[in-house]
Amino acid sequence: MSSSIDEHIANIRATLPSSVRLIAVSKQVSAEMIRLAYNAGIRDFGESRIQEAATKQAQLQDLSDITWHLIGHLQSNKAKKALELFEWIHSVDNLKLAQRLNQLAQQLGVTPKVCLQVKILPDPQKSGWTVPELLADLGELNQCQFLQIQGLMTIPPLGLTEAEILHVFNSTHDLAKQIQLQNLPNVQIQELSMGMSGDYQLAVQAGATMVRLGTILFGDRQ
C-alpha cells in the first residue's frame, strides 16, 4: 500500500502549483496510513472530528512538524479542545463561534489561524455565512484579535456542473479580494481553502491556496 500512497501523492503534487498547500484529509484513515503519507512528504493533515484527531495525534506525536487542520463542523462546546489540537480551523461558520474561539484563545494563550466558511450558493446541507451575512459581520470579526483570520473556506453544493463549481470558486476568490479592500487589520484574507478530490483542479484554476484531498490520496473510506 505504501508505494501506491507514495505514487498517488507524487502524481497529485506534480499537478499542483507550488503556491498550493496540499492538505491530506485523514478522517477515518489510520495513524499508520498518515505515517506513510508523512513519509511521502505530506505535512498538512485535515481531520473532521475532535476525538478521532486527539487519538491519532497521541499516536503520532513523534512527528512534531505536522500541521493539523480542523476541516469539519465545529460545535462551540468543543471549541476549547479544537484550539488545543489544531493550528488551523477552516470551518469557522458563524460570528458566535468566532467570538467564542477568540475568547478561549485569549485564555489559552494561543492565536489559531482560521478560515471563515462561506456559502456562495444556498445549501441546506452546509453551515456557513452567506455573502451578505459575512460582509455584515466583518466589523465584529475584526474585533477578534486573538484569531488570525487568514482565509475563506467553501464547499460547493452537490450536483453542480463543472461550470457552476468554477463559478462558486471564482466568486469566493472575488469575495476575498472585496474583503481585502476594506483594510481590516484583523481580517486578512490571503488563503482560499477550496477544492476536494473531485473538483480540486477547478479550485486551483480559481486561485485556491489550500486544497483538501482525501479519497484521491487514501482511497474510499470504510
Side-chain angles (χ1 to χ4, degrees):
M1 183 67 204
S2 70
S3 63
S4 64
I5 281 199
D6 289 352
E7 284 166 30
H8 280 326
I9 290 172
N11 292 340
I12 285 159
R13 286 183 121 170
T15 70
L16 291 175
S18 58
S19 57
V20 177
R21 192 165 176 172
L22 170 53
I23 299 166
V25 177
S26 47
K27 62 181 182 183
Q28 297 174 294
V29 168
S30 68
E32 292 75 35
M33 292 273 278
I34 293 175
R35 205 173 275 279
L36 292 174
Y38 178 93
N39 291 338
I42 300 278
R43 292 295 178 270
D44 293 276
F45 291 90
E47 290 283 336
S48 292
R49 293 169 189 268
I50 301 285
Q51 195 49 57
E52 183 186 342
T55 304
K56 289 182 202 172
Q57 288 185 19
Q59 295 170 311
L60 297 164
Q61 52 193 333
D62 56 306
L63 306 181
S64 58
D65 59 340
I66 284 182
T67 298
W68 293 98
H69 300 252
L70 179 65
I71 58 171
H73 178 65
L74 177 59
Q75 295 162 309
S76 60
N77 63 343
K78 301 211 172 121
K80 180 170 184 281
K81 194 72 182 154
L83 289 171
E84 290 166 354
L85 293 174
F86 293 96
E87 198 175 315
W88 275 91
I89 300 175
H90 291 237
S91 45
V92 177
D93 56 17
N94 65 77
L95 179 61
K96 212 169 178 180
L97 176 61
Q99 290 170 329
R100 175 86 181 126
L101 287 166
N102 183 63
Q103 178 193 5
L104 290 166
Q106 181 180 12
Q107 291 167 14
L108 293 168
V110 295
T111 52
K113 301 181 177 83
V114 306
C115 294
L116 306 173
Q117 185 170 349
V118 63
K119 293 200 284 192
I120 298 295
L121 296 175
D123 186 352
Q125 307 300 317
K126 306 274 185 324
S127 45
W129 276 274
T130 65
V131 174
E133 288 165 352
L134 180 56
L135 293 172
D137 283 346
L138 285 175
E140 286 184 86
L141 287 165
N142 190 47
Q143 305 300 313
C144 294
Q145 63 200 53
F146 298 96
L147 303 182
Q148 298 182 59
I149 300 175
Q150 294 196 355
L152 299 179
M153 192 263 256
T154 200
I155 305 169
L158 294 172
L160 300 185
T161 65
E162 280 200 358
E164 289 166 333
I165 293 169
L166 187 58
H167 168 73
V168 167
F169 292 150
N170 280 325
S171 299
T172 308
H173 184 253
D174 293 344
L175 177 62
K177 286 201 288 202
Q178 189 181 345
I179 293 170
Q180 281 297 78
L181 289 173
Q182 301 203 21
N183 289 321
L184 300 168
N186 292 328
V187 184
Q188 292 291 320
I189 306 296
Q190 284 133 2
E191 303 286 348
L192 290 174
S193 170
M194 54 191 198
M196 300 191 291
S197 289
D199 58 19
Y200 76 95
Q201 284 151 319
L202 295 170
V204 168
Q205 198 180 318
T209 64
M210 299 193 267
V211 294
R212 309 179 305 273
L213 306 185
T215 309
I216 201 171
L217 295 181
F218 297 113
D220 289 323
R221 313 296 201 289
Q222 264 63 58

